[in-house]
Amino acid sequence: GIQVEQSPPDLILQEGANSTLRCNFSDSVNNLQWFHQNPWGQLINLFYIPSGTKQNGRLSATTVATERYSLLYISSSQTTDSGVYFCAVELVDNFNKFYFGSGTKLNVKP
Amino acid sequence: GAGVSQSPRYKVAKRGQDVALRCDPISGHVSLFWYQQALGQGPEFLTYFQNEAQLDKSGLPSDRFFAERPEGSVSTLKIQRTQQEDSAVYLCASSSPKQGKTQYFGPGTRLLVL
């Protein structure tokens, strides 16, 4: 089956720092989404980004589908950014079945 | 409007007991997904509905797991004869083709089987 690998697994930042999270996937995908799971367990969709670049405030994401990776950029990090970031992919030949990576756990310290 | 809601939020069951977990998707969302999330892991796909039709149930771990969505809105995930390995957070998500395939998640039901 498809492999979805996220790096780094853990990240500690000082408030105000920037970071880049990576998601590698082993097969062609139809859909890729980034999520933030807050410390209370709620998953929030950040980006729907099967290809290209999108920006939303301090966050931006880039997916290079031909090279099978996606990047999530967090700039000027805040303590509220803490939590776990997941990418999830939908395969080209298996619609509506999403595979999640194991996540990057981010801790932003004041 | 209201987001995805799930009930109960917490459930403690004795091994062998049957449980039923409910998901209320966002109104008008035709697609509904169930996931299982073990501690420290990413969510794992269980099953997918489009309206009332269960189009993919390949992720259900055993025949003790059963999901339904009889009227194309509310969905119930039922686990029969619960085992300790069923302990996890069960997440529900819904989406609409009008919003691409952006998935909106509920808060989850945390199931503990003793």
Side-chain angles (χ1 to χ4, degrees):
Chain A
I2 187 172
Q3 302 296 317
V4 182
E5 297 178 350
Q6 292 188 241
S7 60
D10 295 278
L11 185 59
I12 300 174
L13 296 177
Q14 204 66 38
E15 196 170 29
N18 303 327
S19 63
T20 301
L21 282 56
R22 187 176 181 102
C23 173
N24 291 335
F25 41 94
S26 60
D27 287 299
S28 297
V29 301
N30 183 60
N31 185 341
L32 186 144
Q33 299 185 34
W34 281 98
F35 295 89
H36 174 226
Q37 189 165 42
N38 66 24
W40 297 270
Q42 179 68 53
L43 273 161
I44 302 295
N45 187 289
L46 299 175
F47 293 102
Y48 163 74
I49 185 165
S51 63
T53 298
K54 290 187 177 179
Q55 181 158 3
N56 184 2
R58 296 180 297 102
L59 302 181
S60 64
T62 295
T63 297
V64 183
T66 53
E67 297 186 21
R68 300 184 180 172
Y69 73 89
S70 183
L71 302 174
L72 178 69
Y73 305 94
I74 305 174
S75 64
S76 304
S77 58
Q78 301 177 357
T79 56
T80 51
D81 295 333
S82 296
V84 184
Y85 290 81
F86 291 104
C87 67
V89 302
E90 176 195 37
L91 297 181
V92 166
D93 58 357
N94 197 350
F95 283 10
N96 295 305
K97 185 171 183 177
F98 287 82
Y99 296 85
F100 280 72
S102 56
T104 292
K105 186 174 183 179
L106 174 63
N107 185 5
V108 181
K109 294 185 176 295
Chain B
V4 178
S5 61
Q6 293 185 246
S7 61
R9 293 293 311 279
Y10 303 92
K11 177 69 178 178
V12 179
K14 293 182 179 179
R15 190 163 59 94
Q17 187 178 351
D18 296 349
V19 298
L21 313 180
R22 177 187 169 108
C23 172
D24 285 80
I26 293 172
S27 178
H29 279 196
V30 300
S31 298
L32 186 145
F33 305 81
W34 283 100
Y35 293 87
Q36 180 190 62
Q37 187 175 23
L39 191 64
Q41 303 295 317
E44 290 195 5
F45 172 89
L46 293 178
T47 187
Y48 160 69
F49 289 86
Q50 183 170 309
N51 296 306
E52 69 279 5
Q54 187 175 22
L55 299 185
D56 189 336
K57 56 181 180 179
S58 61
L60 296 177
S62 77
D63 58 8
R64 296 186 295 103
F65 287 71
F66 173 77
E68 60 183 5
R69 193 185 186 198
E71 297 180 0
S73 178
V74 171
S75 177
T76 303
L77 177 66
K78 298 180 179 178
I79 309 174
Q80 297 177 324
R81 304 182 303 282
T82 53
Q83 304 293 316
Q84 286 187 323
E85 61 263 29
D86 300 335
S87 297
V89 176
Y90 291 86
L91 295 163
C92 175
S94 69
S95 69
S96 167
K98 297 178 183 178
Q99 297 169 299
K101 290 190 175 181
T102 301
Q103 293 193 37
Y104 297 89
F105 278 81
T109 293
R110 187 176 298 274
L111 173 65
L112 177 62
V113 182
L114 301 176

